[in-house]
mmCIF file of all heavy atoms in Angstrom:
data_model
loop_
_atom_site.group_PDB
_atom_site.id
_atom_site.type_symbol
_atom_site.label_atom_id
_atom_site.label_comp_id
_atom_site.label_asym_id
_atom_site.label_seq_id
_atom_site.Cartn_x
_atom_site.Cartn_y
_atom_site.Cartn_z
ATOM 1 N N SER A 173 16.956 207.580 91.869
ATOM 2 C CA SER A 173 16.492 206.398 91.141
ATOM 3 C C SER A 173 15.263 205.811 91.812
ATOM 4 O O SER A 173 14.996 206.037 92.989
ATOM 5 C CB SER A 173 17.590 205.333 91.082
ATOM 6 O OG SER A 173 17.963 204.929 92.386
ATOM 7 N N PHE A 174 14.518 205.051 91.023
ATOM 8 C CA PHE A 174 13.377 204.297 91.535
ATOM 9 C C PHE A 174 13.838 202.921 91.972
ATOM 10 O O PHE A 174 14.580 202.244 91.265
ATOM 11 C CB PHE A 174 12.283 204.158 90.464
ATOM 12 C CG PHE A 174 11.504 205.418 90.246
ATOM 13 C CD1 PHE A 174 11.824 206.258 89.201
ATOM 14 C CD2 PHE A 174 10.460 205.756 91.088
ATOM 15 C CE1 PHE A 174 11.108 207.424 88.992
ATOM 16 C CE2 PHE A 174 9.734 206.924 90.885
ATOM 17 C CZ PHE A 174 10.057 207.762 89.836
ATOM 18 N N GLN A 175 13.407 202.514 93.145
ATOM 19 C CA GLN A 175 13.747 201.202 93.673
ATOM 20 C C GLN A 175 12.522 200.298 93.558
ATOM 21 O O GLN A 175 11.423 200.655 94.015
ATOM 22 C CB GLN A 175 14.201 201.299 95.128
ATOM 23 C CG GLN A 175 14.584 199.947 95.746
ATOM 24 C CD GLN A 175 15.068 200.100 97.175
ATOM 25 O OE1 GLN A 175 15.209 201.214 97.664
ATOM 26 N NE2 GLN A 175 15.297 198.992 97.839
ATOM 27 N N THR A 176 12.709 199.131 92.953
ATOM 28 C CA THR A 176 11.626 198.164 92.781
ATOM 29 C C THR A 176 11.829 197.023 93.759
ATOM 30 O O THR A 176 12.900 196.414 93.814
ATOM 31 C CB THR A 176 11.612 197.624 91.340
ATOM 32 O OG1 THR A 176 11.456 198.710 90.428
ATOM 33 C CG2 THR A 176 10.457 196.641 91.154
ATOM 34 N N THR A 177 10.796 196.722 94.535
ATOM 35 C CA THR A 177 10.836 195.643 95.529
ATOM 36 C C THR A 177 9.686 194.689 95.252
ATOM 37 O O THR A 177 8.540 195.121 95.096
ATOM 38 C CB THR A 177 10.716 196.191 96.958
ATOM 39 O OG1 THR A 177 11.717 197.210 97.166
ATOM 40 C CG2 THR A 177 10.899 195.089 97.982
ATOM 41 N N ILE A 178 10.001 193.404 95.133
ATOM 42 C CA ILE A 178 8.982 192.376 94.938
ATOM 43 C C ILE A 178 8.637 191.779 96.299
ATOM 44 O O ILE A 178 9.518 191.287 97.025
ATOM 45 C CB ILE A 178 9.472 191.284 93.973
ATOM 46 C CG1 ILE A 178 9.859 191.886 92.624
ATOM 47 C CG2 ILE A 178 8.400 190.213 93.789
ATOM 48 C CD1 ILE A 178 8.714 192.574 91.910
ATOM 49 N N LEU A 179 7.363 191.817 96.646
ATOM 50 C CA LEU A 179 6.893 191.362 97.956
ATOM 51 C C LEU A 179 5.841 190.270 97.786
ATOM 52 O O LEU A 179 5.079 190.268 96.808
ATOM 53 C CB LEU A 179 6.291 192.523 98.747
ATOM 54 C CG LEU A 179 7.216 193.717 99.016
ATOM 55 C CD1 LEU A 179 6.448 194.869 99.616
ATOM 56 C CD2 LEU A 179 8.363 193.305 99.940
ATOM 57 N N ASP A 180 5.797 189.361 98.754
ATOM 58 C CA ASP A 180 4.742 188.349 98.807
ATOM 59 C C ASP A 180 3.583 188.865 99.651
ATOM 60 O O ASP A 180 3.721 189.836 100.418
ATOM 61 C CB ASP A 180 5.279 187.045 99.397
ATOM 62 C CG ASP A 180 6.338 186.414 98.519
ATOM 63 O OD1 ASP A 180 6.155 186.450 97.278
ATOM 64 O OD2 ASP A 180 7.343 185.918 99.062
ATOM 65 N N ALA A 181 2.443 188.197 99.536
ATOM 66 C CA ALA A 181 1.248 188.653 100.253
ATOM 67 C C ALA A 181 1.461 188.624 101.769
ATOM 68 O O ALA A 181 0.969 189.504 102.488
ATOM 69 C CB ALA A 181 0.049 187.784 99.870
ATOM 70 N N GLU A 182 2.187 187.615 102.250
ATOM 71 C CA GLU A 182 2.397 187.527 103.702
ATOM 72 C C GLU A 182 3.306 188.634 104.239
ATOM 73 O O GLU A 182 3.361 188.848 105.461
ATOM 74 C CB GLU A 182 2.974 186.161 104.069
ATOM 75 C CG GLU A 182 4.245 185.784 103.328
ATOM 76 C CD GLU A 182 3.970 185.005 102.057
ATOM 77 O OE1 GLU A 182 2.825 185.077 101.545
ATOM 78 O OE2 GLU A 182 4.899 184.312 101.582
ATOM 79 N N ASP A 183 4.032 189.323 103.347
ATOM 80 C CA ASP A 183 4.903 190.421 103.779
ATOM 81 C C ASP A 183 4.155 191.746 103.873
ATOM 82 O O ASP A 183 4.754 192.749 104.274
ATOM 83 C CB ASP A 183 6.075 190.579 102.801
ATOM 84 C CG ASP A 183 6.927 189.331 102.715
ATOM 85 O OD1 ASP A 183 7.034 188.636 103.747
ATOM 86 O OD2 ASP A 183 7.478 189.060 101.620
ATOM 87 N N LEU A 184 2.886 191.787 103.522
ATOM 88 C CA LEU A 184 2.114 193.024 103.459
ATOM 89 C C LEU A 184 0.974 192.999 104.451
ATOM 90 O O LEU A 184 0.460 191.926 104.818
ATOM 91 C CB LEU A 184 1.562 193.209 102.035
ATOM 92 C CG LEU A 184 2.588 193.297 100.913
ATOM 93 C CD1 LEU A 184 1.903 193.214 99.559
ATOM 94 C CD2 LEU A 184 3.382 194.595 101.023
ATOM 95 N N PRO A 185 0.531 194.183 104.851
ATOM 96 C CA PRO A 185 -0.658 194.251 105.711
ATOM 97 C C PRO A 185 -1.869 193.673 104.992
ATOM 98 O O PRO A 185 -2.027 193.811 103.772
ATOM 99 C CB PRO A 185 -0.814 195.745 105.975
ATOM 100 C CG PRO A 185 0.540 196.322 105.741
ATOM 101 C CD PRO A 185 1.147 195.500 104.665
ATOM 102 N N ALA A 186 -2.752 193.042 105.759
ATOM 103 C CA ALA A 186 -3.920 192.373 105.173
ATOM 104 C C ALA A 186 -4.833 193.354 104.464
ATOM 105 O O ALA A 186 -5.398 193.038 103.404
ATOM 106 C CB ALA A 186 -4.690 191.621 106.272
ATOM 107 N N GLU A 187 -4.975 194.576 105.032
ATOM 108 C CA GLU A 187 -5.904 195.528 104.406
ATOM 109 C C GLU A 187 -5.387 195.991 103.031
ATOM 110 O O GLU A 187 -6.172 196.267 102.123
ATOM 111 C CB GLU A 187 -6.133 196.732 105.311
ATOM 112 C CG GLU A 187 -4.894 197.556 105.674
ATOM 113 C CD GLU A 187 -4.143 197.015 106.888
ATOM 114 O OE1 GLU A 187 -4.450 195.866 107.289
ATOM 115 O OE2 GLU A 187 -3.278 197.730 107.416
#
Side-chain angles (χ1 to χ4, degrees):
S173 60
F174 285 98
Q175 180 178 355
T176 302
T177 307
I178 302 299
L179 301 171
D180 295 320
E182 55 268 20
D183 299 328
L184 300 169
E187 60 274 13

